[in-house]
């Protein structure tokens, strides 16, 4: 997978009248939620998705706590967080302002050198606009069920290919079918596969019949 980009044009130069230059901008590939991250992290470690979400909530709480008291929070491999303040306009002397007039403005994030280094090899691909309309959910889910009639086992990567969607969307679709009782999940981590619940149950019944004989 590659990050998609497209070109935008800067406004014309007012003084010279020259045409504005082009600049590249990433086209959003979708929104990644806490649930998405928790599921992905759970796939590659021994923690459950609920455990991961609990840690993320605790991290958010501790981050706010330390920022509230003027500390900078530095997370290895991610970056550091600090706060900026709002100050009334036209102030030229500290005597003109009271502490009550100063307030929180925003959280500033500065990425770590490690994260920047990882993104230097960012794969890019020119986006084709206008963006194609996303397939309806019922179409994607039905295609998964249809593929399983012949493939027996599929992974999230398989779904990404035949539904032409992101990994996050593929995991979301598989999770929904699993919760509806349509699919069973086998394995863990990168070796996680999905099967039709009905076919799996039939296979278990047949195996039981053979053992009884």
């Amino acid at each position: 997978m590659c990050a998609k980009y497209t070109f935008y044009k800067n406004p014309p130069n007012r003084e010279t009248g020259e045409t504005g230059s082009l600049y590249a901008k990433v086209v959003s590939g979708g929104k990644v939620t806490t649930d998405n991250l928790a599921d992905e992290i759970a796939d590659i470690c021994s923690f459950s998705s609920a455990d991961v979400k609990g840690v993320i909530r605790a991290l958010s709480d501790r981050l706010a706590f330390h920022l509230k008291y003027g500390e900078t929070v530095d997370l290895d491999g991610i970056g550091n967080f600090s706060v900026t303040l709002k100050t009334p306009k036209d102030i030229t002397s500290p005597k003109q302002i009271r502490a009550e007039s100063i307030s929180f403005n925003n959280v500033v994030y500065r990425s770590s050198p490690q994260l920047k280094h990882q993104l230097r090899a960012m794969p890019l691909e020119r986006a084709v606009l206008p963006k194609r309309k996303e397939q309806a959910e019922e179409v994607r889910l039905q295609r998964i069920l249809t593929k399983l009639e012949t493939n027996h086992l599929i992974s999230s990567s398989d779904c990404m290919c035949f539904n032409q969607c992101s990994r996050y969307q593929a995991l979301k679709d598989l999770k929904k079918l699993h919760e509806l009782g349509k699919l069973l999940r086998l394995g863990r981590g990168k070796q996680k596969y999905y099967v039709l619940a009905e076919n799996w149950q039939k296979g278990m019944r047949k195996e039981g019949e053979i053992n009884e004989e």
Side-chain angles (χ1 to χ4, degrees):
M1 292 178 63
C2 295
K4 306 290 184 179
Y5 71 90
T6 189
F7 289 108
Y8 293 87
K9 184 178 290 187
N10 284 311
N13 189 304
R14 292 183 179 180
E15 296 180 359
T16 64
E18 294 180 354
T19 302
S21 58
L22 296 176
Y23 66 95
K25 185 175 180 180
V26 171
V27 176
S28 175
K31 181 179 180 180
V32 182
T33 66
T34 300
D35 286 343
N36 296 144
L37 289 176
D39 288 342
E40 289 186 355
I41 294 171
D43 282 345
I44 58 175
C45 69
S46 59
F47 298 106
S48 69
S49 178
D51 291 335
V52 176
K53 282 187 277 190
V55 170
I56 292 175
R57 284 193 291 268
L59 175 61
S60 175
D61 178 73
R62 291 294 86 193
L63 180 63
F65 175 85
H66 289 287
L67 292 177
K68 186 185 295 184
Y69 291 101
E71 297 175 299
T72 296
V73 179
D74 197 346
L75 301 179
D76 289 345
I78 296 177
N80 64 67
F81 299 80
S82 59
V83 299
T84 59
L85 303 175
K86 286 182 182 178
T87 307
K89 295 181 180 179
D90 304 321
I91 298 297
T92 58
S93 170
K95 295 180 181 180
Q96 294 177 270
I97 190 169
R98 295 177 301 172
E100 294 82 2
S101 302
I102 301 174
S103 60
F104 167 78
N105 180 43
N106 206 352
V107 175
V108 176
Y109 163 71
R110 296 180 180 85
S111 59
S112 69
Q114 301 98 307
L115 182 58
K116 289 180 180 178
H117 179 74
Q118 286 181 294
L119 294 176
R120 282 176 186 163
M122 178 179 180
L124 293 167
E125 181 179 289
R126 176 82 178 272
V128 178
L129 300 177
K131 192 175 179 180
R132 184 176 58 185
K133 291 183 179 179
E134 187 176 337
Q135 298 179 65
E137 181 183 80
E138 58 266 27
V139 174
R140 296 194 311 271
L141 299 184
Q142 185 55 53
R143 187 176 288 120
I144 291 173
L145 296 175
T146 301
K147 289 288 183 179
L148 279 169
E149 291 290 349
T150 54
N151 292 1
H152 306 302
L153 288 172
I154 63 169
S155 65
S156 58
S157 296
D158 296 327
C159 291
M160 289 169 61
C161 293
F162 60 70
N163 271 336
Q164 297 183 357
C165 64
S166 66
R167 184 175 299 279
Y168 315 116
Q169 187 62 68
L171 288 169
K172 184 178 179 180
D173 290 341
L174 289 166
K175 182 178 180 181
K176 180 164 187 177
L177 288 171
H178 178 257
E179 290 174 347
L180 290 172
K182 299 287 186 180
L183 302 184
L184 286 179
R185 187 168 55 201
L186 307 177
R188 288 187 61 81
K190 293 182 179 180
Q191 301 300 318
K192 184 183 291 184
Y193 295 94
Y194 295 81
V195 299
L196 285 175
E198 183 181 359
N199 288 353
W200 182 259
Q201 290 164 359
K202 286 180 180 177
M204 293 178 66
R205 285 198 297 269
K206 288 180 179 178
E207 184 178 347
E209 292 172 0
I210 292 174
N211 289 337
E212 288 177 3
E213 294 176 359

